[in-house]
Amino acid sequence: MNYPNRIGNWWLGDKLGSGFSGSIFRASNVHTDQIVAVKIQYANHECPTNRYERGFYPSLQGGEGMPTLWASGIEGIWDFLVIDLLGPSLDNLFRKSGKDCMDLRSVCSIAMQVISRLEFMHGRGILHRDIQLGNCVVGLGPKEKTIYMIDFGFSKRYIDPYTRRHIPDSKAKRDFIGNYWFTSVGVHCKGKVPSRRDDLEAAALMFIHLLTPGGLSWTRNGIPKNNAQHDRIIREKRNSKPEDLCKGLPPQFEEFLRYCRRLKFAECPDYARWKEEFSELAKEEGFPGAEEFIWPPPPISHPKPHSTHNAALRRTPAPQGAENIEQILNDLANLKLDDRPVLGDRKNIINAVQQAKTDGKKPATEVSMISDETDDIPSPVVARIPKAAQLNKLTAAVYAAGDNNTLSQVVLDFVVCLQSNRSRTLTKEGFAFLDALYKQLGDPSTFAVPLRTSRTRSGDKEQQQVPLPEPKHVKLEVLAALRRTVGTASRNKALAKMVADFGAVTNKSSGRTVTKDGFAFLEGLAARLKTIR
Ligand SMILES: Nc1ncnc2c1ncn2[C@@H]1O[C@H](COP(=O)(O)OP(=O)(O)OP(=O)(O)O)[C@@H](O)[C@H]1O
């Protein structure tokens, strides 16, 4: 294509990239020398994406990670947009790295920032509809840690500007708009009308792709060249279960994908919750400040000794449980408990660690373009000590508790801790707390077998023994029963059994979230402890 040397007030320089319908050039202002990027295409192109983009840019101005539109227009046969000059796309960065998957810190940064961008766009009534690595680019100069969203050629308003109402759903199958790799199953495979949930699901698939060595399985054969190949991609995408896609990844990714798929057509996603989840995950894994995208990723100053989530370990995840328990128990051993009465017998600790380690030694497992139950418990603002650290302290406090009164207070603190974090997901630290509580209540002289049997981090052998998630109603029924009966327990042992049931049913649920009934049970448990001697 013979592009002009100048368009409007802009000299065109090097070509930065090109897509289906046009090309992007570095350019400078003929009067001011301002450096920008110019996106140019034939005005009569069959897919006039510049014309569409021009309609969305004004609504997106001023948002973090949204390029500024400096000028736009039609000159002769050319339709052009003048926008901020930005840096390389995530696709470029990732390919150049030569790695087969991205590090967890970078993916957590990308997750937090992309979710924020979508929150902003959706807040302005606009869906992106083409979330992919090539459409996420880093800024230049002082903005190199910011991820920008580009390419609004497929965007769409989901809020009618006149009626201010959400666009209607429709049962009629639609042509697919988006990209082969990340467009949601609903839109790509089932022809559903896209809404906010689909942008988020595409983002979830992109995060999982980055963490998966070799990428998502359906991306590995390249762009489909015919309908048969496209159908194969659709089949593979539709049939992939979240637990298979996310095997060996931190559970947040599986939970996020499930969450996106559970959202109703017009439901507003809880963006804040998921930004918080990925921020917490980054902190737990030893990456504070991961809100900033730093590339190449900075060296880990204090590597987490026993991380089971490192993407590079996906094929051979470390045995679960032993390290966490050892860490908690080591912390406990450092507590000065000698002259204080404890319910638990510390002489079993070493045996327990050995046992857990033996148990842990089980075998390890392991765009393209194409046309066309949450609870509403308020979150009090608290000082931001990471959730994991708060829970570890509470677990230590369970072991240190000398009587039921103290234990009761610790259980209440546990409730406050969970409620003050936006995420009510029971993490491994939450399960460790329940383990400790179970032990103290059940039999202080024996060590509790961990209640949690992770589906995403366990080995193949364990995998087969772990029951599939129970239907939601089962969890709700069990929790409602626990809540009802906790006040009738007459002994600590009965309470221990209830704690075990609570842990088991939460573990088996798909999101591992603590529900209102779950909190009511824990509060009932704390109240009951005060009355049992
Ligand atoms: N403002 C910018 N600054 C620097 N590079 C950019 C800019 N905009 C786009 N690019 C580069 O050009 C590539 C294509 O851009 P964009 O996706 O906007 O074009 P497109 O024609 O809509 O592409 P596609 O058809 O692939 O969706 C991007 O992946 C990026 O590498």
Side-chain angles (χ1 to χ4, degrees), residues 16-26 36-41 49-50 53 57 67 82-92 130 132-138 140 150-154 367-369:
L16 297 166
S18 51
F20 174 72
S21 52
S23 292
I24 323 274
F25 292 86
R26 184 189 163 91
V36 292
V38 170
K39 198 168 173 180
I40 182 167
Q41 66 178 200
T49 47
N50 273 11
E53 281 199 74
Y57 261 112
V82 182
I83 56 179
D84 281 337
L85 178 69
L86 301 164
S89 69
L90 295 182
D91 192 37
N92 292 336
D130 193 15
Q132 53 167 302
L133 296 170
N135 288 339
C136 300
V137 302
V138 293
L140 287 178
I150 58 165
D151 196 355
F152 308 108
F154 286 173
V367 196
S368 62
M369 188 174 87

Side-chain angles (χ1 to χ4, degrees), residues 292-344:
E292 294 186 327
F293 179 73
I294 301 175
W295 193 265
I300 304 170
S301 48
H302 302 291
K304 221 186 148 211
H306 300 301
S307 171
T308 53
H309 307 312
N310 190 330
L313 298 179
R314 277 191 65 158
R315 293 185 200 117
T316 52
Q320 61 159 342
E323 291 84 355
N324 295 329
I325 294 166
E326 185 173 13
Q327 180 64 50
I328 291 164
L329 296 178
N330 279 342
D331 289 349
L332 270 174
N334 291 334
L335 290 173
K336 296 207 178 332
L337 301 172
D338 305 28
D339 50 359
R340 294 167 60 189
V342 289
L343 289 173

